[in-house]
Amino acid sequence: MNGAVNSLKSFFFPEMLSNPRLKPVQGTLNVMMNQNVTLSCNSDSGSPPVRYTLFKRNQKVSTLNRPDLTPSLFNLTINSASDLGEYKCKAENNNTSGGKYSNSLSFTLVEPISKPVLSSPTSQAKKGQNVTLSCLSENGSLPITYIFFKGTQSISSQVMMQKEAAEIVLFINSSSDFGTYKCRAENVFRRNAKYSNGFNFTLAEERRLSQPLVISLGLILLLFAIGLALAIPLFVIPSYKAKKFKCTRPSTGFTSTPNVEEPEDEVIYSEILPVKPEEEYINFPVIRREDEKGENLKLQYWCLAGGRQGLPSSSYNTGIAYFLWRFF
């Protein structure tokens, strides 16, 4: 009864329409390329029927007639940048001259998130070490929110306003810290969030010797070998040759005589041994007194170099004798 009365009232006394409202059905103006969207246009008051017309940049896109005040729905597809708007709608009835226009709106093209990459400068770590994890999506409209996970537990969240990787520093404290890590990237299209592949750290083996230490040891051994090679011709060989010419102590049976009163630095030469013609050296036993600390006299034998033909010799014209004195 009331409905019939209202219809008759609207027919004979039509009410003017209110300005319509234009809004996206999906609740956001952020769109992706090739996405289907729906716009709703309706007047809250006025006498039906109502005719709704959608405009894009003052060009008519579509017209819908409604027998009542329920919204008109316009379906669109975002195929290019020109499809982003600006959009308006106009509502008309029999009592509205020129119609009423809605608010204007435009869509924002948003690039969807690409699958993020989780990486680290090193894949090996040891307990007590700090390691870095980086998460980056190459494509996707800003801002981008990165969330890091260890297993299924969220451990960090960062919002990046520029095209750069989000980073976290982890402290490897126990074997559980070597678990699987992941990151998730999302922008305004939260339904289009993407996860990275899993990343695992492996326990680094302790090296007994570091590479610099091995190199140092190698250089030391090399220098030692060079020094040894130089020492052989400079010291060892001359010393060996000198020993070949060192005189030996003859077995004459002489011993030092203790407590003998003789002048200091007095030398007694005795028992000259005969020399065979073919021998090259003559041995003289030498007795020297040392009374600095009251020590016993000691007998020292020294060599006197002679000619090859022996001493004395008629053909030996020049001879050089060396007397060596040693104190014990």
Side-chain angles (χ1 to χ4, degrees), residues 178-203:
F178 291 94
T180 301
Y181 293 88
K182 287 186 177 182
C183 71
R184 184 180 73 196
E186 60 185 33
N187 56 9
V188 291
F189 288 114
R190 297 186 180 274
R191 293 178 299 175
N192 195 42
K194 300 290 181 63
Y195 285 86
S196 70
N197 291 329
F199 186 92
N200 292 80
F201 291 102
T202 57
L203 181 62

mmCIF file with all atom_site columns, all heavy atoms in Angstrom, residues 178-203:
data_model
loop_
_atom_site.group_PDB
_atom_site.id
_atom_site.type_symbol
_atom_site.label_atom_id
_atom_site.label_alt_id
_atom_site.label_comp_id
_atom_site.label_asym_id
_atom_site.label_entity_id
_atom_site.label_seq_id
_atom_site.pdbx_PDB_ins_code
_atom_site.Cartn_x
_atom_site.Cartn_y
_atom_site.Cartn_z
_atom_site.occupancy
_atom_site.B_iso_or_equiv
_atom_site.pdbx_formal_charge
_atom_site.auth_seq_id
_atom_site.auth_comp_id
_atom_site.auth_asym_id
_atom_site.auth_atom_id
_atom_site.pdbx_PDB_model_num
ATOM 1   N N   . PHE A 1 178 ? 71.105 -21.978 12.712 1.00 0.00 ? 178 PHE A N   1
ATOM 2   C CA  . PHE A 1 178 ? 71.443 -22.395 11.354 1.00 0.00 ? 178 PHE A CA  1
ATOM 3   C C   . PHE A 1 178 ? 70.204 -22.864 10.581 1.00 0.00 ? 178 PHE A C   1
ATOM 4   O O   . PHE A 1 178 ? 70.333 -23.454 9.523  1.00 0.00 ? 178 PHE A O   1
ATOM 5   C CB  . PHE A 1 178 ? 72.475 -23.528 11.395 1.00 0.00 ? 178 PHE A CB  1
ATOM 6   C CG  . PHE A 1 178 ? 73.832 -23.092 11.862 1.00 0.00 ? 178 PHE A CG  1
ATOM 7   C CD1 . PHE A 1 178 ? 74.192 -23.214 13.191 1.00 0.00 ? 178 PHE A CD1 1
ATOM 8   C CD2 . PHE A 1 178 ? 74.751 -22.559 10.985 1.00 0.00 ? 178 PHE A CD2 1
ATOM 9   C CE1 . PHE A 1 178 ? 75.437 -22.812 13.635 1.00 0.00 ? 178 PHE A CE1 1
ATOM 10  C CE2 . PHE A 1 178 ? 75.997 -22.142 11.415 1.00 0.00 ? 178 PHE A CE2 1
ATOM 11  C CZ  . PHE A 1 178 ? 76.339 -22.279 12.743 1.00 0.00 ? 178 PHE A CZ  1
ATOM 12  N N   . GLY A 1 179 ? 69.001 -22.576 11.088 1.00 0.00 ? 179 GLY A N   1
ATOM 13  C CA  . GLY A 1 179 ? 67.770 -23.033 10.459 1.00 0.00 ? 179 GLY A CA  1
ATOM 14  C C   . GLY A 1 179 ? 67.483 -22.346 9.145  1.00 0.00 ? 179 GLY A C   1
ATOM 15  O O   . GLY A 1 179 ? 68.269 -21.554 8.625  1.00 0.00 ? 179 GLY A O   1
ATOM 16  N N   . THR A 1 180 ? 66.287 -22.627 8.607  1.00 0.00 ? 180 THR A N   1
ATOM 17  C CA  . THR A 1 180 ? 65.883 -22.094 7.306  1.00 0.00 ? 180 THR A CA  1
ATOM 18  C C   . THR A 1 180 ? 65.284 -20.694 7.464  1.00 0.00 ? 180 THR A C   1
ATOM 19  O O   . THR A 1 180 ? 64.402 -20.474 8.291  1.00 0.00 ? 180 THR A O   1
ATOM 20  C CB  . THR A 1 180 ? 64.848 -23.021 6.646  1.00 0.00 ? 180 THR A CB  1
ATOM 21  O OG1 . THR A 1 180 ? 65.418 -24.318 6.493  1.00 0.00 ? 180 THR A OG1 1
ATOM 22  C CG2 . THR A 1 180 ? 64.434 -22.488 5.285  1.00 0.00 ? 180 THR A CG2 1
ATOM 23  N N   . TYR A 1 181 ? 65.782 -19.776 6.648  1.00 0.00 ? 181 TYR A N   1
ATOM 24  C CA  . TYR A 1 181 ? 65.303 -18.397 6.657  1.00 0.00 ? 181 TYR A CA  1
ATOM 25  C C   . TYR A 1 181 ? 64.570 -18.099 5.351  1.00 0.00 ? 181 TYR A C   1
ATOM 26  O O   . TYR A 1 181 ? 64.945 -18.621 4.291  1.00 0.00 ? 181 TYR A O   1
ATOM 27  C CB  . TYR A 1 181 ? 66.460 -17.415 6.843  1.00 0.00 ? 181 TYR A CB  1
ATOM 28  C CG  . TYR A 1 181 ? 67.125 -17.502 8.196  1.00 0.00 ? 181 TYR A CG  1
ATOM 29  C CD1 . TYR A 1 181 ? 68.166 -18.396 8.411  1.00 0.00 ? 181 TYR A CD1 1
ATOM 30  C CD2 . TYR A 1 181 ? 66.709 -16.687 9.244  1.00 0.00 ? 181 TYR A CD2 1
ATOM 31  C CE1 . TYR A 1 181 ? 68.781 -18.488 9.653  1.00 0.00 ? 181 TYR A CE1 1
ATOM 32  C CE2 . TYR A 1 181 ? 67.323 -16.766 10.495 1.00 0.00 ? 181 TYR A CE2 1
ATOM 33  C CZ  . TYR A 1 181 ? 68.352 -17.669 10.683 1.00 0.00 ? 181 TYR A CZ  1
ATOM 34  O OH  . TYR A 1 181 ? 68.955 -17.750 11.915 1.00 0.00 ? 181 TYR A OH  1
ATOM 35  N N   . LYS A 1 182 ? 63.539 -17.245 5.437  1.00 0.00 ? 182 LYS A N   1
ATOM 36  C CA  . LYS A 1 182 ? 62.801 -16.788 4.260  1.00 0.00 ? 182 LYS A CA  1
ATOM 37  C C   . LYS A 1 182 ? 62.448 -15.319 4.450  1.00 0.00 ? 182 LYS A C   1
ATOM 38  O O   . LYS A 1 182 ? 62.541 -14.788 5.563  1.00 0.00 ? 182 LYS A O   1
ATOM 39  C CB  . LYS A 1 182 ? 61.514 -17.601 4.055  1.00 0.00 ? 182 LYS A CB  1
ATOM 40  C CG  . LYS A 1 182 ? 61.718 -19.009 3.541  1.00 0.00 ? 182 LYS A CG  1
ATOM 41  C CD  . LYS A 1 182 ? 60.382 -19.672 3.245  1.00 0.00 ? 182 LYS A CD  1
ATOM 42  C CE  . LYS A 1 182 ? 60.566 -21.058 2.664  1.00 0.00 ? 182 LYS A CE  1
ATOM 43  N NZ  . LYS A 1 182 ? 59.267 -21.699 2.331  1.00 0.00 ? 182 LYS A NZ  1
ATOM 44  N N   . CYS A 1 183 ? 62.025 -14.686 3.345  1.00 0.00 ? 183 CYS A N   1
ATOM 45  C CA  . CYS A 1 183 ? 61.494 -13.324 3.449  1.00 0.00 ? 183 CYS A CA  1
ATOM 46  C C   . CYS A 1 183 ? 60.264 -13.207 2.553  1.00 0.00 ? 183 CYS A C   1
ATOM 47  O O   . CYS A 1 183 ? 60.124 -13.958 1.577  1.00 0.00 ? 183 CYS A O   1
ATOM 48  C CB  . CYS A 1 183 ? 62.534 -12.272 3.081  1.00 0.00 ? 183 CYS A CB  1
ATOM 49  S SG  . CYS A 1 183 ? 62.955 -12.181 1.319  1.00 0.00 ? 183 CYS A SG  1
ATOM 50  N N   . ARG A 1 184 ? 59.392 -12.271 2.919  1.00 0.00 ? 184 ARG A N   1
ATOM 51  C CA  . ARG A 1 184 ? 58.172 -12.017 2.148  1.00 0.00 ? 184 ARG A CA  1
ATOM 52  C C   . ARG A 1 184 ? 58.156 -10.547 1.761  1.00 0.00 ? 184 ARG A C   1
ATOM 53  O O   . ARG A 1 184 ? 58.487 -9.673  2.574  1.00 0.00 ? 184 ARG A O   1
ATOM 54  C CB  . ARG A 1 184 ? 56.932 -12.355 2.977  1.00 0.00 ? 184 ARG A CB  1
ATOM 55  C CG  . ARG A 1 184 ? 55.625 -12.206 2.201  1.00 0.00 ? 184 ARG A CG  1
ATOM 56  C CD  . ARG A 1 184 ? 54.443 -12.556 3.082  1.00 0.00 ? 184 ARG A CD  1
ATOM 57  N NE  . ARG A 1 184 ? 54.169 -11.531 4.065  1.00 0.00 ? 184 ARG A NE  1
ATOM 58  C CZ  . ARG A 1 184 ? 53.404 -11.723 5.135  1.00 0.00 ? 184 ARG A CZ  1
ATOM 59  N NH1 . ARG A 1 184 ? 52.864 -12.900 5.367  1.00 0.00 ? 184 ARG A NH1 1
ATOM 60  N NH2 . ARG A 1 184 ? 53.193 -10.722 5.984  1.00 0.00 ? 184 ARG A NH2 1
ATOM 61  N N   . ALA A 1 185 ? 57.767 -10.285 0.507  1.00 0.00 ? 185 ALA A N   1
ATOM 62  C CA  . ALA A 1 185 ? 57.677 -8.913  0.008  1.00 0.00 ? 185 ALA A CA  1
ATOM 63  C C   . ALA A 1 185 ? 56.232 -8.638  -0.391 1.00 0.00 ? 185 ALA A C   1
ATOM 64  O O   . ALA A 1 185 ? 55.579 -9.476  -1.029 1.00 0.00 ? 185 ALA A O   1
ATOM 65  C CB  . ALA A 1 185 ? 58.608 -8.708  -1.181 1.00 0.00 ? 185 ALA A CB  1
ATOM 66  N N   . GLU A 1 186 ? 55.754 -7.440  -0.022 1.00 0.00 ? 186 GLU A N   1
ATOM 67  C CA  . GLU A 1 186 ? 54.386 -7.056  -0.381 1.00 0.00 ? 186 GLU A CA  1
ATOM 68  C C   . GLU A 1 186 ? 54.315 -5.543  -0.503 1.00 0.00 ? 186 GLU A C   1
ATOM 69  O O   . GLU A 1 186 ? 55.054 -4.804  0.155  1.00 0.00 ? 186 GLU A O   1
ATOM 70  C CB  . GLU A 1 186 ? 53.387 -7.562  0.676  1.00 0.00 ? 186 GLU A CB  1
ATOM 71  C CG  . GLU A 1 186 ? 53.642 -7.002  2.065  1.00 0.00 ? 186 GLU A CG  1
ATOM 72  C CD  . GLU A 1 186 ? 52.716 -7.603  3.113  1.00 0.00 ? 186 GLU A CD  1
ATOM 73  O OE1 . GLU A 1 186 ? 52.349 -8.783  2.983  1.00 0.00 ? 186 GLU A OE1 1
ATOM 74  O OE2 . GLU A 1 186 ? 52.374 -6.876  4.066  1.00 0.00 ? 186 GLU A OE2 1
ATOM 75  N N   . ASN A 1 187 ? 53.425 -5.081  -1.391 1.00 0.00 ? 187 ASN A N   1
ATOM 76  C CA  . ASN A 1 187 ? 53.136 -3.648  -1.484 1.00 0.00 ? 187 ASN A CA  1
ATOM 77  C C   . ASN A 1 187 ? 51.648 -3.447  -1.251 1.00 0.00 ? 187 ASN A C   1
ATOM 78  O O   . ASN A 1 187 ? 51.067 -4.167  -0.446 1.00 0.00 ? 187 ASN A O   1
ATOM 79  C CB  . ASN A 1 187 ? 53.635 -3.065  -2.814 1.00 0.00 ? 187 ASN A CB  1
ATOM 80  C CG  . ASN A 1 187 ? 53.066 -3.769  -4.025 1.00 0.00 ? 187 ASN A CG  1
ATOM 81  O OD1 . ASN A 1 187 ? 52.159 -4.593  -3.903 1.00 0.00 ? 187 ASN A OD1 1
ATOM 82  N ND2 . ASN A 1 187 ? 53.578 -3.445  -5.201 1.00 0.00 ? 187 ASN A ND2 1
ATOM 83  N N   . VAL A 1 188 ? 51.030 -2.487  -1.921 1.00 0.00 ? 188 VAL A N   1
ATOM 84  C CA  . VAL A 1 188 ? 49.613 -2.211  -1.647 1.00 0.00 ? 188 VAL A CA  1
ATOM 85  C C   . VAL A 1 188 ? 48.732 -3.405  -1.990 1.00 0.00 ? 188 VAL A C   1
ATOM 86  O O   . VAL A 1 188 ? 47.637 -3.540  -1.452 1.00 0.00 ? 188 VAL A O   1
ATOM 87  C CB  . VAL A 1 188 ? 49.168 -0.964  -2.428 1.00 0.00 ? 188 VAL A CB  1
ATOM 88  C CG1 . VAL A 1 188 ? 49.831 0.270   -1.869 1.00 0.00 ? 188 VAL A CG1 1
ATOM 89  C CG2 . VAL A 1 188 ? 49.465 -1.104  -3.912 1.00 0.00 ? 188 VAL A CG2 1
ATOM 90  N N   . PHE A 1 189 ? 49.201 -4.273  -2.880 1.00 0.00 ? 189 PHE A N   1
ATOM 91  C CA  . PHE A 1 189 ? 48.435 -5.481  -3.190 1.00 0.00 ? 189 PHE A CA  1
ATOM 92  C C   . PHE A 1 189 ? 48.880 -6.596  -2.247 1.00 0.00 ? 189 PHE A C   1
ATOM 93  O O   . PHE A 1 189 ? 49.724 -7.431  -2.577 1.00 0.00 ? 189 PHE A O   1
ATOM 94  C CB  . PHE A 1 189 ? 48.649 -5.917  -4.644 1.00 0.00 ? 189 PHE A CB  1
ATOM 95  C CG  . PHE A 1 189 ? 47.972 -5.020  -5.633 1.00 0.00 ? 189 PHE A CG  1
ATOM 96  C CD1 . PHE A 1 189 ? 48.710 -4.259  -6.514 1.00 0.00 ? 189 PHE A CD1 1
ATOM 97  C CD2 . PHE A 1 189 ? 46.593 -4.918  -5.667 1.00 0.00 ? 189 PHE A CD2 1
ATOM 98  C CE1 . PHE A 1 189 ? 48.093 -3.425  -7.422 1.00 0.00 ? 189 PHE A CE1 1
ATOM 99  C CE2 . PHE A 1 189 ? 45.963 -4.082  -6.569 1.00 0.00 ? 189 PHE A CE2 1
ATOM 100 C CZ  . PHE A 1 189 ? 46.714 -3.336  -7.447 1.00 0.00 ? 189 PHE A CZ  1
ATOM 101 N N   . ARG A 1 190 ? 48.343 -6.599  -1.061 1.00 0.00 ? 190 ARG A N   1
ATOM 102 C CA  . ARG A 1 190 ? 48.760 -7.582  -0.070 1.00 0.00 ? 190 ARG A CA  1
ATOM 103 C C   . ARG A 1 190 ? 48.387 -8.998  -0.491 1.00 0.00 ? 190 ARG A C   1
ATOM 104 O O   . ARG A 1 190 ? 49.035 -9.969  -0.081 1.00 0.00 ? 190 ARG A O   1
ATOM 105 C CB  . ARG A 1 190 ? 48.150 -7.257  1.297  1.00 0.00 ? 190 ARG A CB  1
ATOM 106 C CG  . ARG A 1 190 ? 48.640 -5.919  1.836  1.00 0.00 ? 190 ARG A CG  1
ATOM 107 C CD  . ARG A 1 190 ? 48.146 -5.681  3.257  1.00 0.00 ? 190 ARG A CD  1
ATOM 108 N NE  . ARG A 1 190 ? 48.626 -4.398  3.753  1.00 0.00 ? 190 ARG A NE  1
ATOM 109 C CZ  . ARG A 1 190 ? 49.803 -4.210  4.329  1.00 0.00 ? 190 ARG A CZ  1
ATOM 110 N NH1 . ARG A 1 190 ? 50.618 -5.238  4.483  1.00 0.00 ? 190 ARG A NH1 1
ATOM 111 N NH2 . ARG A 1 190 ? 50.167 -3.016  4.748  1.00 0.00 ? 190 ARG A NH2 1
ATOM 112 N N   . ARG A 1 191 ? 47.353 -9.093  -1.297 1.00 0.00 ? 191 ARG A N   1
ATOM 113 C CA  . ARG A 1 191 ? 46.985 -10.431 -1.779 1.00 0.00 ? 191 ARG A CA  1
ATOM 114 C C   . ARG A 1 191 ? 47.993 -10.974 -2.774 1.00 0.00 ? 191 ARG A C   1
ATOM 115 O O   . ARG A 1 191 ? 47.997 -12.160 -3.079 1.00 0.00 ? 191 ARG A O   1
ATOM 116 C CB  . ARG A 1 191 ? 45.589 -10.378 -2.430 1.00 0.00 ? 191 ARG A CB  1
ATOM 117 C CG  . ARG A 1 191 ? 44.458 -10.089 -1.455 1.00 0.00 ? 191 ARG A CG  1
ATOM 118 C CD  . ARG A 1 191 ? 43.136 -9.998  -2.170 1.00 0.00 ? 191 ARG A CD  1
ATOM 119 N NE  . ARG A 1 191 ? 43.139 -8.909  -3.153 1.00 0.00 ? 191 ARG A NE  1
ATOM 120 C CZ  . ARG A 1 191 ? 42.131 -8.657  -3.990 1.00 0.00 ? 191 ARG A CZ  1
ATOM 121 N NH1 . ARG A 1 191 ? 41.045 -9.423  -3.958 1.00 0.00 ? 191 ARG A NH1 1
ATOM 122 N NH2 . ARG A 1 191 ? 42.195 -7.656  -4.833 1.00 0.00 ? 191 ARG A NH2 1
ATOM 123 N N   . ASN A 1 192 ? 48.850 -10.096 -3.264 1.00 0.00 ? 192 ASN A N   1
ATOM 124 C CA  . ASN A 1 192 ? 49.849 -10.509 -4.247 1.00 0.00 ? 192 ASN A CA  1
ATOM 125 C C   . ASN A 1 192 ? 51.246 -10.652 -3.612 1.00 0.00 ? 192 ASN A C   1
ATOM 126 O O   . ASN A 1 192 ? 52.260 -10.611 -4.298 1.00 0.00 ? 192 ASN A O   1
ATOM 127 C CB  . ASN A 1 192 ? 49.909 -9.472  -5.384 1.00 0.00 ? 192 ASN A CB  1
ATOM 128 C CG  . ASN A 1 192 ? 50.645 -10.008 -6.597 1.00 0.00 ? 192 ASN A CG  1
ATOM 129 O OD1 . ASN A 1 192 ? 50.459 -11.143 -6.979 1.00 0.00 ? 192 ASN A OD1 1
ATOM 130 N ND2 . ASN A 1 192 ? 51.494 -9.166  -7.190 1.00 0.00 ? 192 ASN A ND2 1
ATOM 131 N N   . ALA A 1 193 ? 51.299 -10.830 -2.286 1.00 0.00 ? 193 ALA A N   1
ATOM 132 C CA  . ALA A 1 193 ? 52.579 -10.961 -1.587 1.00 0.00 ? 193 ALA A CA  1
ATOM 133 C C   . ALA A 1 193 ? 53.324 -12.204 -2.088 1.00 0.00 ? 193 ALA A C   1
ATOM 134 O O   . ALA A 1 193 ? 52.719 -13.229 -2.428 1.00 0.00 ? 193 ALA A O   1
ATOM 135 C CB  . ALA A 1 193 ? 52.355 -11.043 -0.086 1.00 0.00 ? 193 ALA A CB  1
ATOM 136 N N   . LYS A 1 194 ? 54.648 -12.090 -2.133 1.00 0.00 ? 194 LYS A N   1
ATOM 137 C CA  . LYS A 1 194 ? 55.488 -13.183 -2.635 1.00 0.00 ? 194 LYS A CA  1
ATOM 138 C C   . LYS A 1 194 ? 56.535 -13.556 -1.593 1.00 0.00 ? 194 LYS A C   1
ATOM 139 O O   . LYS A 1 194 ? 57.052 -12.704 -0.871 1.00 0.00 ? 194 LYS A O   1
ATOM 140 C CB  . LYS A 1 194 ? 56.188 -12.771 -3.935 1.00 0.00 ? 194 LYS A CB  1
ATOM 141 C CG  . LYS A 1 194 ? 55.244 -12.409 -5.076 1.00 0.00 ? 194 LYS A CG  1
ATOM 142 C CD  . LYS A 1 194 ? 54.539 -13.634 -5.599 1.00 0.00 ? 194 LYS A CD  1
ATOM 143 C CE  . LYS A 1 194 ? 53.608 -13.270 -6.759 1.00 0.00 ? 194 LYS A CE  1
ATOM 144 N NZ  . LYS A 1 194 ? 54.340 -12.733 -7.915 1.00 0.00 ? 194 LYS A NZ  1
ATOM 145 N N   . TYR A 1 195 ? 56.862 -14.864 -1.556 1.00 0.00 ? 195 TYR A N   1
ATOM 146 C CA  . TYR A 1 195 ? 57.876 -15.398 -0.647 1.00 0.00 ? 195 TYR A CA  1
ATOM 147 C C   . TYR A 1 195 ? 59.146 -15.759 -1.424 1.00 0.00 ? 195 TYR A C   1
ATOM 148 O O   . TYR A 1 195 ? 59.073 -16.180 -2.583 1.00 0.00 ? 195 TYR A O   1
ATOM 149 C CB  . TYR A 1 195 ? 57.367 -16.637 0.088  1.00 0.00 ? 195 TYR A CB  1
ATOM 150 C CG  . TYR A 1 195 ? 56.384 -16.341 1.202  1.00 0.00 ? 195 TYR A CG  1
ATOM 151 C CD1 . TYR A 1 195 ? 55.030 -16.212 0.942  1.00 0.00 ? 195 TYR A CD1 1
ATOM 152 C CD2 . TYR A 1 195 ? 56.828 -16.199 2.514  1.00 0.00 ? 195 TYR A CD2 1
ATOM 153 C CE1 . TYR A 1 195 ? 54.123 -15.944 1.958  1.00 0.00 ? 195 TYR A CE1 1
ATOM 154 C CE2 . TYR A 1 195 ? 55.929 -15.934 3.541  1.00 0.00 ? 195 TYR A CE2 1
ATOM 155 C CZ  . TYR A 1 195 ? 54.582 -15.806 3.256  1.00 0.00 ? 195 TYR A CZ  1
ATOM 156 O OH  . TYR A 1 195 ? 53.690 -15.537 4.261  1.00 0.00 ? 195 TYR A OH  1
ATOM 157 N N   . SER A 1 196 ? 60.259 -15.615 -0.762 1.00 0.00 ? 196 SER A N   1
ATOM 158 C CA  . SER A 1 196 ? 61.536 -16.015 -1.353 1.00 0.00 ? 196 SER A CA  1
ATOM 159 C C   . SER A 1 196 ? 61.766 -17.506 -1.150 1.00 0.00 ? 196 SER A C   1
ATOM 160 O O   . SER A 1 196 ? 61.011 -18.184 -0.443 1.00 0.00 ? 196 SER A O   1
ATOM 161 C CB  . SER A 1 196 ? 62.688 -15.231 -0.699 1.00 0.00 ? 196 SER A CB  1
ATOM 162 O OG  . SER A 1 196 ? 62.871 -15.675 0.645  1.00 0.00 ? 196 SER A OG  1
ATOM 163 N N   . ASN A 1 197 ? 62.830 -18.007 -1.745 1.00 0.00 ? 197 ASN A N   1
ATOM 164 C CA  . ASN A 1 197 ? 63.280 -19.364 -1.462 1.00 0.00 ? 197 ASN A CA  1
ATOM 165 C C   . ASN A 1 197 ? 63.919 -19.410 -0.075 1.00 0.00 ? 197 ASN A C   1
ATOM 166 O O   . ASN A 1 197 ? 64.329 -18.391 0.474  1.00 0.00 ? 197 ASN A O   1
ATOM 167 C CB  . ASN A 1 197 ? 64.288 -19.834 -2.511 1.00 0.00 ? 197 ASN A CB  1
ATOM 168 C CG  . ASN A 1 197 ? 63.654 -20.036 -3.868 1.00 0.00 ? 197 ASN A CG  1
ATOM 169 O OD1 . ASN A 1 197 ? 62.483 -20.390 -3.965 1.00 0.00 ? 197 ASN A OD1 1
ATOM 170 N ND2 . ASN A 1 197 ? 64.421 -19.803 -4.922 1.00 0.00 ? 197 ASN A ND2 1
ATOM 171 N N   . GLY A 1 198 ? 64.015 -20.601 0.474  1.00 0.00 ? 198 GLY A N   1
ATOM 172 C CA  . GLY A 1 198 ? 64.646 -20.764 1.776  1.00 0.00 ? 198 GLY A CA  1
ATOM 173 C C   . GLY A 1 198 ? 66.158 -20.603 1.683  1.00 0.00 ? 198 GLY A C   1
ATOM 174 O O   . GLY A 1 198 ? 66.771 -20.897 0.656  1.00 0.00 ? 198 GLY A O   1
ATOM 175 N N   . PHE A 1 199 ? 66.753 -20.124 2.778  1.00 0.00 ? 199 PHE A N   1
ATOM 176 C CA  . PHE A 1 199 ? 68.206 -19.948 2.842  1.00 0.00 ? 199 PHE A CA  1
ATOM 177 C C   . PHE A 1 199 ? 68.703 -20.556 4.144  1.00 0.00 ? 199 PHE A C   1
ATOM 178 O O   . PHE A 1 199 ? 68.146 -20.287 5.218  1.00 0.00 ? 199 PHE A O   1
ATOM 179 C CB  . PHE A 1 199 ? 68.576 -18.464 2.784  1.00 0.00 ? 199 PHE A CB  1
ATOM 180 C CG  . PHE A 1 199 ? 70.053 -18.197 2.691  1.00 0.00 ? 199 PHE A CG  1
ATOM 181 C CD1 . PHE A 1 199 ? 70.665 -18.055 1.458  1.00 0.00 ? 199 PHE A CD1 1
ATOM 182 C CD2 . PHE A 1 199 ? 70.835 -18.121 3.836  1.00 0.00 ? 199 PHE A CD2 1
ATOM 183 C CE1 . PHE A 1 199 ? 72.023 -17.816 1.362  1.00 0.00 ? 199 PHE A CE1 1
ATOM 184 C CE2 . PHE A 1 199 ? 72.194 -17.877 3.750  1.00 0.00 ? 199 PHE A CE2 1
ATOM 185 C CZ  . PHE A 1 199 ? 72.788 -17.728 2.514  1.00 0.00 ? 199 PHE A CZ  1
ATOM 186 N N   . ASN A 1 200 ? 69.743 -21.386 4.035  1.00 0.00 ? 200 ASN A N   1
ATOM 187 C CA  . ASN A 1 200 ? 70.323 -22.044 5.206  1.00 0.00 ? 200 ASN A CA  1
ATOM 188 C C   . ASN A 1 200 ? 71.800 -21.720 5.323  1.00 0.00 ? 200 ASN A C   1
ATOM 189 O O   . ASN A 1 200 ? 72.533 -21.729 4.325  1.00 0.00 ? 200 ASN A O   1
ATOM 190 C CB  . ASN A 1 200 ? 70.156 -23.571 5.121  1.00 0.00 ? 200 ASN A CB  1
ATOM 191 C CG  . ASN A 1 200 ? 68.711 -23.999 5.238  1.00 0.00 ? 200 ASN A CG  1
ATOM 192 O OD1 . ASN A 1 200 ? 67.949 -23.941 4.275  1.00 0.00 ? 200 ASN A OD1 1
ATOM 193 N ND2 . ASN A 1 200 ? 68.312 -24.427 6.416  1.00 0.00 ? 200 ASN A ND2 1
ATOM 194 N N   . PHE A 1 201 ? 72.234 -21.461 6.545  1.00 0.00 ? 201 PHE A N   1
ATOM 195 C CA  . PHE A 1 201 ? 73.657 -21.330 6.832  1.00 0.00 ? 201 PHE A CA  1
ATOM 196 C C   . PHE A 1 201 ? 74.216 -22.703 7.214  1.00 0.00 ? 201 PHE A C   1
ATOM 197 O O   . PHE A 1 201 ? 73.528 -23.496 7.862  1.00 0.00 ? 201 PHE A O   1
ATOM 198 C CB  . PHE A 1 201 ? 73.908 -20.348 7.984  1.00 0.00 ? 201 PHE A CB  1
ATOM 199 C CG  . PHE A 1 201 ? 73.615 -18.924 7.639  1.00 0.00 ? 201 PHE A CG  1
ATOM 200 C CD1 . PHE A 1 201 ? 72.448 -18.317 8.062  1.00 0.00 ? 201 PHE A CD1 1
ATOM 201 C CD2 . PHE A 1 201 ? 74.510 -18.182 6.888  1.00 0.00 ? 201 PHE A CD2 1
ATOM 202 C CE1 . PHE A 1 201 ? 72.176 -17.002 7.757  1.00 0.00 ? 201 PHE A CE1 1
ATOM 203 C CE2 . PHE A 1 201 ? 74.249 -16.863 6.566  1.00 0.00 ? 201 PHE A CE2 1
ATOM 204 C CZ  . PHE A 1 201 ? 73.079 -16.274 6.999  1.00 0.00 ? 201 PHE A CZ  1
ATOM 205 N N   . THR A 1 202 ? 75.438 -22.963 6.804  1.00 0.00 ? 202 THR A N   1
ATOM 206 C CA  . THR A 1 202 ? 76.121 -24.197 7.178  1.00 0.00 ? 202 THR A CA  1
ATOM 207 C C   . THR A 1 202 ? 77.255 -23.865 8.133  1.00 0.00 ? 202 THR A C   1
ATOM 208 O O   . THR A 1 202 ? 77.839 -22.783 8.073  1.00 0.00 ? 202 THR A O   1
ATOM 209 C CB  . THR A 1 202 ? 76.672 -24.929 5.948  1.00 0.00 ? 202 THR A CB  1
ATOM 210 O OG1 . THR A 1 202 ? 77.559 -24.048 5.222  1.00 0.00 ? 202 THR A OG1 1
ATOM 211 C CG2 . THR A 1 202 ? 75.532 -25.353 5.025  1.00 0.00 ? 202 THR A CG2 1
ATOM 212 N N   . LEU A 1 203 ? 77.566 -24.823 9.004  1.00 0.00 ? 203 LEU A N   1
ATOM 213 C CA  . LEU A 1 203 ? 78.610 -24.612 9.996  1.00 0.00 ? 203 LEU A CA  1
ATOM 214 C C   . LEU A 1 203 ? 79.973 -24.649 9.326  1.00 0.00 ? 203 LEU A C   1
ATOM 215 O O   . LEU A 1 203 ? 80.331 -25.612 8.655  1.00 0.00 ? 203 LEU A O   1
ATOM 216 C CB  . LEU A 1 203 ? 78.527 -25.684 11.079 1.00 0.00 ? 203 LEU A CB  1
ATOM 217 C CG  . LEU A 1 203 ? 79.547 -25.580 12.212 1.00 0.00 ? 203 LEU A CG  1
ATOM 218 C CD1 . LEU A 1 203 ? 79.365 -24.272 12.972 1.00 0.00 ? 203 LEU A CD1 1
ATOM 219 C CD2 . LEU A 1 203 ? 79.416 -26.768 13.154 1.00 0.00 ? 203 LEU A CD2 1
#
